[in-house]
Amino acid sequence: MTDADGRGHNAPCSNKDFDFFYRGLEAEQVLIQKCSSCSFLRNPPSPSCPECHSLEWQTLPLGGEGTVHSFTIHHYPPLPDFKTPHPVVLADMAEGIRLLGAMDGTAPEDIRIGMPVRFEFLRRGNVAAFRFRAA
Ligand code: ZN
């Protein structure tokens, strides 16, 4: 997909609701939606605010700090650009929302709920992405 300036991204799939998220990753930002009416933060993206139903929103870049709320270890099926088993973390971010992402650099058996994490940016193939690492 490309915008009016010809800049594009290589997200594996996107749509009108998710496009800003993948453009943010290309700029090394994890963006979430902030309601323009009531300031409610939401993630994953959605067309309207679940609190006040406003369709107006802005983006807010996350700072990257969080703690493990929960996690799972993905074994199967194999995914392009991922080694299995690989951990997938649901993190409580400092901004007060949860963010789901892959985690690298820590053995699956060493991951703990409450563990501090921080995200960093990388490319998986041609796709801009982020991953968590232990902080
Ligand atoms: Zn709202």
Side-chain angles (χ1 to χ4, degrees):
M1 300 182 76
T2 56
D3 63 17
D5 298 325
R7 293 174 299 177
H9 65 71
N10 295 305
C13 60
S14 189
N15 60 34
K16 187 176 170 186
D17 294 329
F18 276 82
D19 202 51
F20 78 93
F21 182 81
Y22 292 111
R23 289 184 190 287
L25 290 176
E26 290 287 343
E28 298 198 340
Q29 291 185 314
V30 174
L31 300 175
I32 61 166
Q33 289 173 301
K34 179 180 180 180
C35 177
S36 296
S37 178
C38 75
S39 298
F40 185 80
L41 302 178
R42 63 186 194 259
N43 179 62
S46 60
S48 66
C49 176
E51 291 295 307
C52 75
H53 309 295
S54 171
L55 297 174
E56 304 300 318
W57 52 272
Q58 309 157 322
T59 57
L60 176 75
L62 296 179
E65 307 286 336
T67 58
V68 175
H69 176 81
S70 186
F71 66 97
T72 190
I73 310 300
H74 179 95
H75 291 270
Y76 189 85
L79 297 171
D81 301 311
F82 286 90
K83 291 181 199 164
T84 53
H86 84 89
V88 178
V89 165
L90 182 63
D92 290 315
M93 302 305 291
E95 290 82 359
I97 58 98
R98 290 186 179 143
L99 180 67
L100 187 68
M103 182 162 173
D104 288 342
T106 302
E109 60 272 20
D110 293 334
I111 297 173
R112 298 285 181 270
I113 290 172
M115 174 181 207
V117 291
R118 180 162 194 27
F119 61 63
E120 64 182 23
F121 297 93
L122 74 156
R123 297 195 76 83
R124 293 195 191 279
N126 289 329
V127 178
F130 74 91
R131 64 181 168 197
F132 287 109
R133 283 193 178 269

